[in-house]
């Protein structure tokens, strides 16, 4: 696959990709597919201490993304009922051009902007399960969190209403003057694969590895790679 041919329009002026506009993707299904393939979100909030961006786990349900952390997490606390930005990035390869100026990366990225809100207590378990199972689907196999665990946790939700994606999935784009030169150009693909589960040394020996985890071994950690 090369550049996206998606014709859907940006949901807002500030979400319109200006630089590299040919790589923009706005269609909800494509944005969701990238979110579903990613593992880590970078959450940006303007806190009383100044702006900060922290990496976090996340989950998605229909048109909403969720992030969670301790009720003591300063960034999450500052992110309640204010504008935030959540970014998910998957790197699919290094693009090596004939000149470093044109080096690049193949990637799939989503930027979501908007006002985050704290999830109310009665939806905490449901949304914590969404986050947990996006990362590793073990919620129903493990001990349920205690009331205290839940009380000590803050979940923020952000609608996907103002989301944009950018996708690069092609080789190096060089200048005419370099085309007959001696320098190499191409892509070094990056693949991430889950390994075989390693059982904790303190685990009772009769407890088997859950099938959902053994099934992950050898599979693509970020499925849906765009190129290569
Ligand atoms: C892995 C990776 C590495 C990158 N490295 C560089 C780098 O080294 N230098 C560099 O200049 N750029 C880099 N980019 C591209 C960068 O993310 C921006 O898209 C680009 O710099 C344009 O910024 P801008 O502020 O001019 O965007 P504009 O086009 O003005 O942004 C307008 C709107 O478009 C949307 N948007 C912008 N970028 C993205 C994105 N990546 N994904 C989804 N939506 C987006 C946002 O809603 C934003 O508000 C990289 C991207 C990725 C994924």
């Amino acid at each position: 696959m090369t550049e996206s041919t998606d014709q859907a329009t940006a949901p807002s002026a500030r979400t319109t990709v200006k630089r590299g506009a040919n790589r923009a993707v706005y269609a909800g299904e494509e944005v969701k597919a990238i979110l579903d393939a990613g593992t880590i979100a970078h959450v940006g909030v303007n806190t009383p201490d100044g702006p900060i961006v922290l990496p976090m786990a996340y989950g998605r349900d229909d048109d909403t993304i969720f992030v969670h952390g301790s009720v003591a997490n300063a960034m999450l606390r500052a992110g309640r009922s204010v504008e935030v930005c959540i970014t998910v990035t998957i790197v699919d390869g290094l693009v090596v051009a004939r000149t470093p100026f044109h080096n690049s990366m193949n990637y799939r990225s989503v930027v979501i902007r908007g006002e985050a809100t704290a999830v109310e207590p009665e939806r905490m378990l449901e949304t914590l399960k969404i986050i947990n199972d996006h990362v590793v689907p073990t919620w129903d196999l493990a001990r349920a969190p205690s009331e205290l665990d839940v009380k000590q946790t803050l979940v923020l939700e952000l609608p996907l209403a103002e989301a944009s994606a950018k996708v690069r999935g092609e080789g190096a784009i060089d200048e005419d003057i370099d085309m007959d030169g001696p320098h190499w150009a191409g892509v070094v693909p990056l693949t991430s694969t889950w390994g075989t589960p390693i059982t904790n040394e303190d685990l009772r020996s009769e407890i088997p590895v859950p099938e959902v985890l053994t099934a992950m071994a050898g599979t693509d950690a970020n499925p849906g790679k765009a190129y290569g």
Side-chain angles (χ1 to χ4, degrees):
M1 183 177 138
T2 54
E3 290 156 8
S4 169
T5 54
D6 179 46
Q7 295 301 310
T9 51
S12 66
R14 69 177 182 173
T15 320
T16 305
V17 177
K18 294 160 200 87
R19 289 214 300 128
N22 59 324
R23 306 196 189 288
V25 176
Y26 305 110
E29 291 312 310
E30 292 188 53
V31 168
K32 290 175 190 173
I34 297 170
L35 293 177
D36 293 348
T39 311
I40 301 294
H42 285 88
V43 184
V45 178
N46 202 3
T47 73
D49 272 351
I52 188 165
V53 177
L54 293 179
M56 294 195 151
Y58 69 93
R60 176 187 78 81
D61 182 29
D62 294 329
D63 295 320
T64 307
I65 188 168
F66 302 95
V67 292
H68 76 315
S70 162
V71 285
N73 180 303
M75 185 200 68
L76 291 176
R77 291 170 67 84
R80 293 172 294 185
S81 305
V82 299
E83 290 268 327
V84 305
C85 180
I86 298 182
T87 299
V88 171
T89 310
I90 302 168
V91 175
D92 289 324
L94 300 179
V95 179
V96 182
R98 292 165 178 85
T99 166
F101 187 80
H102 291 307
N103 282 355
S104 188
M105 292 185 205
N106 280 338
Y107 58 78
R108 290 162 279 162
S109 63
V110 171
V111 173
I112 310 157
R113 305 178 72 170
E115 185 176 315
T117 46
V119 165
E120 60 275 22
E122 56 273 23
R123 290 177 57 230
M124 285 294 284
L125 280 177
E126 170 203 338
T127 53
L128 289 171
K129 174 175 161 60
I130 290 167
I131 297 167
N132 182 82
D133 286 357
H134 171 74
V135 178
V136 64
T138 54
W139 185 271
D140 293 331
L141 307 175
R143 176 181 69 73
S146 67
E147 257 182 57
L148 185 62
D149 292 336
V150 175
K151 271 197 185 134
Q152 289 173 339
T153 306
L154 176 56
V155 178
L156 292 187
E157 63 181 318
L158 178 64
L160 301 185
E162 268 198 283
S164 60
K166 268 178 100 171
V167 176
R168 189 191 197 285
E170 59 185 326
I173 303 172
D174 277 308
E175 295 172 43
D176 290 347
I177 52 164
D178 292 319
M179 293 320 231
D180 293 327
H183 307 291
W184 189 84
V187 173
V188 184
L190 175 62
T191 50
S192 304
T193 313
W194 299 116
T196 303
I198 302 164
T199 297
N200 233 39
E201 282 178 9
D202 58 5
L203 194 81
R204 291 209 326 268
S205 58
E206 72 274 18
I207 300 176
V209 182
E211 273 178 34
V212 289
L213 303 184
T214 52
M216 287 168 68
T219 63
D220 189 342
N222 301 119
K225 202 157 55 261
Y227 179 86

